[in-house]
Amino acid sequence: MGWTISHGTVTGEPTHRSYNAVGSLAQAAAHALTARDWALLRPVLHRPSGDPFQISPDGARAAAGLLLRAADSGLMDRQSGQLARDLAAAANRAAAARQLWKWS
């Protein structure tokens, strides 16, 4: 089981990420970001229920910036950093298209 995330590929197709991978990213991001930044990103990455949700285009753009900040911090392992970059790219594609960024 895992997440299906919209705008996950260059062609706009969804991508699939395991709950464990996103959970590991959440832990890494919590340590890589300031408390303020983590508080802003937490609603995206920390979803223990697995319930579907969507993020506005502006929210997706903000999440992308925070994901990239975490990835570029030097405090994440390579795998988490790459996932953060991949999700940031998906969020930016949703924002650029002025569409909701959907997780289900």
Side-chain angles (χ1 to χ4, degrees), residues 15-75:
T15 189
H16 306 282
R17 302 297 177 155
S18 73
Y19 291 137
N20 285 340
V22 175
S24 293
L25 173 58
Q27 289 179 339
H31 294 290
L33 295 170
T34 64
R36 180 183 172 276
D37 285 347
W38 172 240
L40 296 171
L41 187 59
R42 186 176 189 272
V44 176
L45 297 181
H46 187 70
R47 295 272 180 160
S49 68
D51 291 338
F53 65 99
Q54 54 193 18
I55 299 170
S56 71
D58 291 337
R61 187 176 318 282
L66 293 169
L67 286 162
L68 290 174
R69 184 174 299 157
D72 293 341
S73 70
L75 299 172

